[in-house]
Amino acid sequence: MNYLGSGWSDDVLLLFSIAIFTILLLFLSLTLQIVKKRGLRKEKRIMAWVYGHRNPFFDMLLGALTHFGSLKILLPIDLALSIAAVEEGYSRVVLLANLGFFAAVISAYLIKFIIARERPNEVLSAEELPQDPSFPSAHTLQVFSFSIMLWLAIVSMSESMHPTLALYLLLLASAVGFSRVYLQVHYPSDIFAGVLLALFWGVIFAKFCIY
C-alpha cells in the first residue's frame, strides 16, 4: 500500500469506485423507504422489543456511552489530537481528516432537515428527545465518521494498519449507534443511514489520507 503516495492503480480505483457507488445506492434506497414510510411498523416492533429488555445496568452504561457520539465530546478530542499531530509535522493529514469529518457532519444535518423525519414517540424515552429531525442519526454518523477519519489519519502517519485500534473504534461506534435505539431516540434505519453516510465520506477521503 502506498501512504500519501502518487496515486491509485486502476484496480484499486475500480474497487473504491464500486464501494462509493454501492454505499450511495444503499443510502438512497433507504432514504426513499423513509420518505415513503415503508417498514415503519417493523422498526417500531424492533424498538418495542429493545424497550422490553431494558434494565438499570444498560440504562446507565448506554446512557453514558451515547455521549461519545456528541460533538460536545468529539470536538475537544479532535482539537487536542489535531494540535498534537500538527506539532509532529502532519498538517496535511490533519487537514484532510478534518475535512472528511466535517463534510460528513454537515451532510448529515442537511439531510436531516430535508427529510424531516419525526423522532420515535411510542414510548417514554430514557432521555429527552432532541429537537432536530431523526434521519439520519447524527450521533451515529459523528462517532463512526470520527473513528474512520482517526483511523485513516493514524494509518497514514504510522504506515501500519492498526487492526486492534480499528476493532476498538468499531466497537465503540457500534455501541453508540445501538444506544440511540436503546434510548428510544432513533429508529434502527436512522442508525444504518448514519453508518452508511460515514462510510461514504470515509471511502472518499481514504484516497487522500492514505494513498
Side-chain angles (χ1 to χ4, degrees), residues 50 54-68 126-127 172 174-183:
V50 172
R54 286 175 52 183
N55 64 64
F57 173 75
F58 283 111
D59 285 353
M60 179 183 66
L61 177 63
L62 294 175
L65 284 175
T66 199
H67 295 295
F68 281 93
E127 63 177 39
L172 174 61
S174 299
V176 171
F178 176 70
S179 75
R180 305 310 285 168
V181 176
Y182 182 89
L183 298 172

Side-chain angles (χ1 to χ4, degrees), residues 73-87 94 98 146:
I73 298 294
L74 294 176
L75 288 182
I77 296 174
D78 177 64
L79 179 61
L81 293 176
S82 296
I83 291 173
V86 167
E87 290 178 347
V94 169
N98 276 286
F146 180 84

Side-chain angles (χ1 to χ4, degrees), residues 4-169:
L4 298 178
S6 58
W8 287 349
S9 68
D10 290 341
D11 289 341
V12 173
L13 180 61
L14 176 62
L15 288 174
F16 273 76
S17 299
I18 291 173
I20 291 172
F21 176 78
T22 301
I23 294 168
L24 184 59
L25 187 63
L26 287 171
F27 184 82
L28 292 176
S29 176
L30 180 60
T31 303
L32 183 61
Q33 290 192 51
I34 299 306
V35 171
K36 294 186 175 182
K37 297 185 178 181
R38 294 175 180 171
L40 186 57
R41 290 183 180 179
K42 184 180 294 185
E43 290 200 86
K44 289 181 177 180
R45 286 198 296 268
I46 293 172
M47 294 188 68
W49 182 87
V50 172
Y51 184 80
H53 289 78
R54 286 175 52 183
N55 64 64
F57 173 75
F58 283 111
D59 285 353
M60 179 183 66
L61 177 63
L62 294 175
L65 284 175
T66 199
H67 295 295
F68 281 93
S70 170
L71 290 178
K72 293 178 182 179
I73 298 294
L74 294 176
L75 288 182
I77 296 174
D78 177 64
L79 179 61
L81 293 176
S82 296
I83 291 173
V86 167
E87 290 178 347
E88 293 296 321
Y90 295 105
S91 300
R92 180 177 183 274
V93 177
V94 169
L95 174 62
L96 292 172
N98 276 286
L99 280 175
F101 175 62
F102 286 108
V105 172
I106 291 170
S107 65
Y109 280 95
L110 287 175
I111 293 169
K112 267 181 177 288
F113 288 99
I114 291 172
I115 303 300
R117 187 187 201 185
E118 293 184 0
R119 295 272 180 171
N121 58 4
E122 282 71 31
V123 298
L124 181 63
S125 170
E127 63 177 39
E128 183 179 351
L129 282 176
Q131 298 301 308
D132 59 317
S134 188
F135 180 90
S137 167
H139 274 63
T140 303
L141 172 130
Q142 285 159 188
V143 71
F144 267 93
S145 181
F146 180 84
S147 298
I148 291 169
M149 297 304 169
L150 175 61
W151 178 74
L152 287 174
I154 292 175
V155 167
S156 178
M157 291 185 290
S158 66
E159 300 192 6
S160 174
M161 292 302 291
H162 296 284
T164 302
L165 173 64
L167 177 61
Y168 287 150
L169 290 172

